[in-house]
Amino acid sequence: MDKRILYLLLFILIWLSLTFATFSYAQEEIQDINRYIPTYRKFIFCGIGIIVCIIVLIIFVCKLYCKRRYVEKILAEEKEILDVTLRSIGDGVITTDAAGKVVLINKIAEEITGWTQPEAVGRHLAEIFHIINEETRQAVGCPVGNAKKRNKINKTLNDTILISKDGTERFITNTGAQIVDSKGEMLGTILIFRDFTEKKKIVEEVKNIAKFPSENPSPVLRLKNDGTIMYSNPVGQFLLNQWNCSIGQCAPLHWKVLVEEAASSRQIKIEEIKYDNKVYSFVLTPVEGTDYVNIYGSDITERWKADEELKRHHNHLEDLVEERTSEIVAINKKLMQEIEDRKKVEHELNEQRVLTIRSDHLRSLGEMATGIAHELNQPIAGVRAFAEHILLGIKRGWDLTDEKVLGKLENIVKQTERMTHIIEHIRLFAREANKPEVQSVCVNDVLKSTIGMICTQLESRGIMLKYDLMDCLPSVYANPFSLEEVFLNILINARDACEERLKEKPALENSWILIRTSINEEGLGDHIKIEIIDNGTGIQFDILLKVFEPFFTTKRASEKGTGLGLSISKAIVEQFEGKIDIISKPDNGTTVSILLPVGEM
């Protein structure tokens, strides 16, 4: 017990004895008044002394209490520092009491064992620290228990495995020791352990790597920079035999030079040799920061054979390529000649096509001329009649006034103007029909001009021409003479179909062609629709599929059909962004529809 407490108890005992004696003495003397007063004074002094003693006692107790609080604070701070140190240390730490129950477990120990601080405290160490031998898989005694028995530090070997709470196995090293007080009494134990699972893996890998040269199925050698042989695995022994050298001796001059060059340049060197019907490739690799060069060999016999075979095939392939190249050059020359011949034939064909198109154009002009001849006959007959009348009057002395002669001459001028207009129209048609220039034209005007050139032919063949032209049609953007050629081709085909039907059925009275114009109402919008309908023989379905093909015709050679009329018409209509379509059935006539977009210049 503390000496200060013993002194305090002794002081209190003395004080109580004095107090008891004073009160006893005062009681004996209290009857004598003369003696009471001094006794009372003594009593007062004793009381004052007692009070002083009490005050001193209180001060002493307060100091003792403050000092105790200070010591407790210091101990708490030291305990906190100890706890923080233990929980932040890099190794796992577990402390127990004298009975082996866990008092503290730091963070690393929690991660390794899988037990948290709240779960582990109060449990026996053997319950949370379960270790076994790596090879025998038998339980190993608790190191702390062994330390308690032997009263010394206990260490385990590196082949110890700790089984954590979730069953994970980790390789550990651990140390256990007692915690004793100043008198040597055991207060508890401390266990320090470390997880070296990753380190063990690295060690195993290093061991495996260390075994690599001896286990390598290829030659591995090590030579110093001066050519001295330091090491050779069993497979590389054949090279030493070839060199007639052993470990510790210098390699042949050729290899010594290679090693020196690799070491000085710090660059890899490659050397190939043949040995016992095999080919080996050796790679001389300088090792940074050392005075030696490693030589790694590999058997490249199969690759060498493959390379040789590849070279042979390559040479054979070059021969084949050269042979084929000669053949290709000859074929190319022949092909170029064929191309030239084909271009020549195509040029001749294009010329023939142009001539044929011109022929078809002339045929259209011929068809126009047939109708125009009648148109010219009328004004020519009028001119002749007026001129003969004036000439006869002069010869016979008729009284021809100036007014009469002037009237006749004016009629002659009108008829000649009419003939000039017809001839000019034919000239423009022949010159302008195939030109690309376009302008804003009225479809009805073009149709009327075309009708004027063919109506005489239709009347002479007994074919009635009917038309239903819509008034105030919008203009289209086209070449009027090209459109006239399209309409003329279609009307000629309609004429021939009606004439053919009249031949087949002479009793047929009504053979007709209808020309109709309108605004399209079938969804294309802003298009002019021109329909040319006849009640001729019609067209067979298989023939209908071919009518727009160039040079296709069903007319006999005597009829001078070129087979280009409809194909040219289709090209002209499409040139003006239009569309042409034919609907026909045998003996039910034909309807040709043309759609042209509305547009102005």
Side-chain angles (χ1 to χ4, degrees), residues 378-394 398 400 404-416:
Q378 290 182 353
I380 288 173
V383 168
R384 181 177 180 177
F386 292 133
E388 287 178 348
H389 187 268
I390 294 173
L391 182 60
L392 184 62
I394 293 174
W398 291 348
L400 296 175
K404 289 183 179 180
V405 173
L406 183 61
K408 300 293 184 181
L409 293 176
E410 287 178 352
N411 286 330
I412 291 173
V413 170
K414 288 180 180 180
Q415 295 300 324
T416 55

Side-chain angles (χ1 to χ4, degrees), residues 11-269:
F11 179 79
I12 293 172
L13 183 60
I14 294 172
W15 175 76
L16 290 175
S17 299
L18 291 174
T19 302
F20 180 74
T22 301
F23 274 101
S24 298
Y25 179 75
Q27 190 175 6
E28 292 177 356
E29 299 295 333
I30 197 168
Q31 295 178 0
D32 190 0
I33 189 65
N34 293 324
R35 296 174 57 191
Y36 176 74
I37 294 175
T39 303
Y40 182 70
R41 288 176 181 172
K42 293 178 181 178
F43 180 76
I44 291 174
F45 287 136
C46 289
I48 292 172
I50 292 169
I51 292 172
V52 171
C53 291
I54 292 172
I55 292 172
V56 172
L57 179 62
I58 291 172
I59 293 173
F60 179 77
V61 171
C62 288
K63 287 184 177 181
L64 186 62
Y65 177 75
C66 291
K67 191 169 184 179
R68 182 178 178 181
R69 292 281 296 177
Y70 175 74
V71 171
E72 289 178 352
K73 180 180 178 182
I74 295 298
L75 291 174
E77 290 177 353
E78 291 180 353
K79 184 177 183 299
E80 181 67 23
I81 293 173
L82 179 62
D83 289 344
V84 172
T85 302
L86 289 176
R87 296 192 67 81
S88 60
I89 196 170
D91 294 336
V93 178
I94 300 176
T95 59
T96 69
D97 57 15
K101 293 185 178 181
V102 176
V103 175
L104 181 142
I105 177 171
N106 71 345
K107 184 176 180 181
I108 302 298
E110 288 179 349
E111 294 175 357
I112 296 175
T113 62
W115 294 84
T116 62
Q117 170 83 7
E119 294 174 340
V121 172
R123 295 178 181 271
H124 195 275
L125 179 62
E127 186 178 352
I128 67 171
F129 194 76
H130 180 205
I131 55 178
I132 62 174
N133 184 273
E134 177 186 3
E135 296 181 357
T136 63
R137 306 293 296 181
Q138 298 296 322
V140 178
C142 179
V144 171
N146 296 335
K148 288 170 61 179
K149 293 177 182 179
R150 301 172 187 175
N151 195 19
K152 64 177 182 179
I153 296 175
N154 184 63
K155 296 182 179 180
T156 60
L157 300 176
N158 292 339
D159 56 357
T160 303
I161 296 176
L162 170 66
I163 302 178
S164 62
K165 183 180 178 182
D166 60 0
T168 303
E169 296 184 357
R170 292 181 173 87
F171 291 93
I172 65 165
T173 57
N174 63 83
T175 301
Q178 292 182 358
I179 303 175
V180 296
D181 57 12
S182 58
K183 296 181 179 180
E185 296 292 332
M186 190 185 77
L187 301 178
T189 58
I190 183 169
L191 176 65
I192 302 173
F193 55 97
R194 178 176 297 176
D195 182 1
F196 80 108
T197 305
E198 294 300 324
K199 182 178 179 182
K200 186 175 180 64
K201 291 180 180 179
I202 295 173
V203 170
E204 292 298 328
E205 290 178 0
V206 171
K207 289 181 180 179
N208 292 332
I209 292 172
K211 295 178 182 179
F212 171 75
S214 60
E215 295 177 350
N216 197 325
S218 299
V220 177
L221 297 92
R222 177 172 293 174
L223 277 67
K224 286 187 176 181
N225 294 345
D226 60 1
T228 304
I229 303 171
M230 299 175 61
Y231 170 82
S232 173
N233 69 344
V235 183
Q237 191 63 38
F238 80 91
L239 187 60
L240 298 183
N241 296 336
Q242 188 185 44
W243 292 349
N244 197 20
C245 297
S246 60
I247 295 175
Q249 295 180 343
C250 187
L253 180 61
H254 175 69
W255 286 89
K256 180 181 178 181
V257 172
L258 289 176
V259 170
E260 290 176 351
E261 289 179 354
S264 60
S265 65
R266 315 306 297 174
Q267 293 182 351
I268 293 174
K269 298 287 184 180

Side-chain angles (χ1 to χ4, degrees), residues 306-322:
D307 289 343
E308 292 297 319
E309 187 68 16
L310 184 61
K311 289 179 182 178
R312 189 178 66 82
H313 285 292
H314 177 71
N315 294 334
H316 180 63
L317 182 60
E318 286 185 344
D319 294 339
L320 290 177
V321 169
E322 185 176 356

Side-chain angles (χ1 to χ4, degrees), residues 554-582:
T554 58
K555 296 179 180 179
R556 292 181 292 273
S558 59
E559 296 176 342
K560 298 181 181 180
T562 62
L564 291 173
L566 287 177
S567 63
I568 292 174
S569 299
K570 185 174 185 292
I572 292 173
V573 172
E574 290 177 349
Q575 180 184 355
F576 302 143
E577 299 181 2
K579 181 181 178 182
I580 183 170
D581 190 26
I582 298 177

Side-chain angles (χ1 to χ4, degrees), residues 307-504:
D307 289 343
E308 292 297 319
E309 187 68 16
L310 184 61
K311 289 179 182 178
R312 189 178 66 82
H313 285 292
H314 177 71
N315 294 334
H316 180 63
L317 182 60
E318 286 185 344
D319 294 339
L320 290 177
V321 169
E322 185 176 356
E323 182 181 348
R324 295 293 185 272
T325 302
S326 301
E327 294 178 359
I328 290 173
V329 170
I331 294 173
N332 189 42
K333 290 181 179 180
K334 184 177 179 181
L335 182 61
M336 293 300 295
Q337 185 62 41
E338 290 180 357
I339 291 173
E340 291 296 326
D341 294 341
R342 178 170 294 182
K343 286 182 178 179
K344 184 178 180 180
V345 171
E346 288 179 352
H347 179 70
E348 293 176 355
L349 183 62
N350 288 332
E351 290 181 350
Q352 292 297 325
R353 183 180 291 110
V354 171
L355 291 174
T356 305
I357 292 173
R358 289 177 181 175
S359 174
D360 186 77
H361 190 59
L362 292 174
R363 182 185 64 84
S364 299
L365 287 175
E367 296 288 345
M368 293 175 63
T370 304
I372 290 171
H374 178 73
E375 295 293 327
L376 291 176
N377 283 332
Q378 290 182 353
I380 288 173
V383 168
R384 181 177 180 177
F386 292 133
E388 287 178 348
H389 187 268
I390 294 173
L391 182 60
L392 184 62
I394 293 174
K395 287 181 178 181
R396 294 182 180 182
W398 291 348
D399 185 15
L400 296 175
T401 62
D402 294 338
E403 292 180 358
K404 289 183 179 180
V405 173
L406 183 61
K408 300 293 184 181
L409 293 176
E410 287 178 352
N411 286 330
I412 291 173
V413 170
K414 288 180 180 180
Q415 295 300 324
T416 55
E417 287 179 352
R418 181 180 174 187
M419 288 187 290
T420 301
H421 174 74
I422 293 172
I423 294 170
E424 181 66 18
H425 181 77
I426 295 174
R427 186 181 66 82
L428 289 174
F429 178 83
R431 187 182 65 185
E432 303 291 338
N434 295 322
K435 290 187 177 181
E437 288 80 4
V438 293
Q439 62 187 40
S440 179
V441 297
C442 177
V443 172
N444 286 346
D445 292 343
V446 177
L447 284 170
K448 290 176 181 178
S449 177
T450 308
I451 292 169
M453 289 186 288
I454 199 172
C455 63
T456 304
Q457 296 181 40
L458 298 178
E459 291 175 359
S460 65
R461 287 171 170 81
I463 301 172
M464 182 186 303
L465 181 63
K466 301 185 289 184
Y467 43 87
D468 180 14
L469 305 180
M470 183 177 180
D471 295 332
C472 301
L473 274 179
S475 300
V476 297
Y477 199 46
N479 184 323
F481 298 101
S482 295
L483 281 183
E484 192 171 323
E485 182 177 359
V486 172
F487 299 148
L488 184 61
N489 283 331
I490 297 171
L491 286 171
I492 290 172
N493 289 337
R495 179 204 67 188
D496 294 342
C498 291
E499 190 175 11
E500 183 69 22
R501 188 171 185 183
L502 286 173
K503 291 179 180 179
E504 294 176 358

Side-chain angles (χ1 to χ4, degrees), residues 539-552:
I539 306 173
Q540 298 287 342
F541 178 75
D542 56 338
I543 297 176
L544 188 63
L545 299 175
K546 303 176 182 180
V547 292
F548 289 114
E549 295 180 4
F551 304 106
F552 176 79

